[in-house]
Amino acid sequence: MTEADVLNLIKLEIEKAGSAAAWARLVGISPSYVFDVMSHRREAGPKILAALNVERHVSYQIKD
């Protein structure tokens, strides 16, 4: 799953809730935080990821 996929999930949840502000209230975060994430100013943090039932995994690879 990519960051774009996460943003799409957020968009779907916002549509279900009726607005970004309504969804923010439902998940216990500020509307400005949601707007920042959707505007690519911040990454989705633990509260947003929990609301989406998504975990962040980081991986590293040895360069060839």
Side-chain angles (χ1 to χ4, degrees), residues 17-44:
S19 70
W23 185 69
R25 280 191 301 276
L26 286 172
V27 300
I29 57 177
S30 71
S32 61
Y33 176 37
V34 175
F35 293 121
D36 284 350
V37 170
M38 297 307 291
S39 300
H40 304 277
R41 286 185 229 137
R42 296 175 67 181
E43 290 185 353

Side-chain angles (χ1 to χ4, degrees), residues 1-33:
M1 177 174 276
T2 66
E3 185 176 350
D5 295 328
V6 172
L7 293 176
N8 284 331
L9 287 175
I10 295 169
K11 286 178 189 176
L12 290 173
E13 293 302 315
I14 288 170
E15 288 174 10
K16 287 183 202 174
S19 70
W23 185 69
R25 280 191 301 276
L26 286 172
V27 300
I29 57 177
S30 71
S32 61
Y33 176 37

